[in-house]
Amino acid sequence: MIRSFNTHNLRKQEELTKYWLFTPLQNNQPVSAPVKAAVPGCWQSIPGFERYDGEAVYETTFEAQGNVRILCKGVSHTAEVYVNKQLVAQHYNAYTAFSGVYANMPKGVHALQIKVSNRFSEVSALHVPNDYMTYGGISRGVIVQQVADTYIEWVHCTPHKQDNVWHLDVQVKLNNLTQQAQAVKADIMVCGINHTLQGQFAKGQGQLVLAGSFAVPSAATYTQDSPMLYLVETKLYCNNAPAPIDDLIERVGFREIKVQGNKLLLNGQEVKIKGFCRHEDHPQFACSLPFAAMNYDLDLMKDLGANAVRTSHYPNDELFLDLCDERGVLVWEENHARGLTEEQMRNPNFRKQCHDCIEEMITQHFNHPSIVIWGILNECASETEYGRQCYAEQFSQIKQLDTSRPTSFASCKFFNDICLDLPDIVSYNIYPEWYHNTPAAEYLAKLYNWVQTTQGVGKPFIISEIGAGAMYGYRSPAHVVWSEERQADILQSQVQAVLGFSACTGIFIWQFCDVAVSEEWAMIRPRTMNNKGIVDEYRRPKMAYYTVKQMFEKN
Ligand code: ADA
């Protein structure tokens, strides 16, 4: 299961969710016999490969003909995709999708190989040893599609209200494999309204974006309590032929998210965020959580009284975003970067890898109504001039791709940040009473007051991380550090401080569940895990679960 709804009625597609053959490689040569591996899945879930890092190849076959598009939703972290031994796609970064087309294939059974590496090296600026794991494997679904010579790459929908009626701005991106001149027509159907866009590919032109806007008077507003979703079905016609040659079904929610003064407004109403930061991590499934496990995480967050999730620190599996859409859970989604120093940001690949990640994240997740904030560069060098250039560059890239959502970044450069003028929302990761002893309420007020002396003045203010660690099951009448009691005490004080601070737009607790970390972090992370989860890695609630639940429910 790759999406929670059907995305094509016309275009033929097959999800390759099954056993593939997995072979570890060294210098491009097999080091052991192939084993059967579930795809999607990480190789850390294969017995015997729990600690494997390096290169591997996954192999399978598929049956298709014509123009075959291989769509990979996520491979961790570097991939080369071969069809019948011919390279059709290459990609860096575990957390965004990519595709490649092999044109004019004869009918038959074809070989598909995906070479994967999860190696840290100087060419990888974003996957570095970190406070979470970089697993290896085909962690998200793979789909084989048979596309026409001209096909739909994406459809972007932006809802907005005009004279009290919902409207949809639509952009349809088309690819033309033939490069011949073509007359094209896209028929868009939503809520019983039909809208047609027309255009023309010139000879040699491979890509074209059609754009239009229309009213959708019968659309009901998407709210957190009533997350109404509508399918947007686009059919593509070419050269005046009567039958469509391709289609794409997307899904939208009619809502507007805006910043006004120091408030975040959803459909004109102030939102107070009560959320969690969540890593895609599970002891059994690594970063490749199946549908039921993702849904269970949201069940728990709902039970906790949360209304939001931050996809720390990378774009998430789209199936999870589908579930957030359906359950009315607001999402802060961010590009992939955590805690990079100026030196790491000066890696020659850093800017390009960030650029690609942002472009792919926004292009691929554009239509999710749950996403209300685009974030970048968690805890990077926002106190330096060079860092500032990078933040500025990335925020301007975001605004070129999407003006409909506010932006932010999670800072830890207390009293030193020089980038607070750049985002729409100022956000800070703070750990009072855990990493230092200043009482939470005092620290929060001091930080907020300082922000008001900077160019971040008057903007919405979010606590994008706050929390404390505990080992599941470690109980202590003395409430010592790492006990469940101590974590619950600290969270009680932290959450109360933030929710009681009326100038604060909200809180994302660090973090939802305990997660594995790179071995390089083991000396400061007992169990080689970040233990600040409200639930442990198996999702068993710690004492703090009930503390937070009570506070989220009453505020
Ligand atoms: C930071 C960081 C998180 C995590 C956290 C912690 O704020 O953004 O990824 O490392 O600290 O547990 O200390």
Side-chain angles (χ1 to χ4, degrees), residues 131 313 338 378-379 429 431 435 465 510 525 530 532:
D131 202 8
H313 300 299
R338 182 209 164 274
N378 172 79
E379 293 194 351
N429 296 344
Y431 288 87
Y435 286 134
E465 289 181 27
W510 186 268
R525 293 285 182 253
N530 186 311
K532 296 190 190 72

Side-chain angles (χ1 to χ4, degrees), residues 304-319:
L304 279 151
N307 64 9
V309 61
R310 175 172 168 230
T311 70
S312 46
H313 300 299
Y314 36 75
N316 269 202
D317 191 318
E318 200 166 11
L319 190 51

Side-chain angles (χ1 to χ4, degrees), residues 80-89 101-103 111-113:
E80 288 173 7
V81 179
Y82 297 86
V83 172
N84 295 339
K85 304 228 157 100
Q86 186 177 311
L87 184 67
V88 295
V101 175
Y102 192 129
L112 175 61
Q113 279 187 323

Side-chain angles (χ1 to χ4, degrees), residues 122-137:
E122 68 288 353
V123 295
S124 168
L126 308 178
H127 284 279
V128 295
N130 221 326
D131 202 8
Y132 59 95
M133 279 290 282
T134 284
Y135 293 104

Side-chain angles (χ1 to χ4, degrees), residues 3 152-160 167-174 186 188 190 195 197 208-214 232-234 248-254 318 358-368 374 398 400-405:
R3 299 294 302 272
I152 305 168
E153 173 79 22
W154 49 249
V155 174
H156 286 171
C157 306
T158 310
H160 63 97
H167 287 64
L168 207 56
D169 293 343
V170 183
Q171 290 196 306
V172 179
K173 179 163 181 211
L174 304 175
I188 302 160
V190 54
H195 189 80
L197 302 175
L208 178 68
V209 177
L210 307 176
S213 185
F214 54 96
V232 179
E233 194 170 352
T234 305
L248 177 61
I249 303 166
E250 276 290 347
R251 203 168 61 171
V252 292
F254 289 83
E318 200 166 11
I358 289 175
E359 185 171 286
E360 291 166 353
M361 168 176 83
I362 296 182
T363 307
Q364 292 162 14
H365 297 165
F366 195 92
N367 295 323
H368 290 280
W374 293 126
I398 291 179
Q400 276 163 27
L401 292 165
D402 182 11
T403 49
S404 75
R405 292 171 171 98

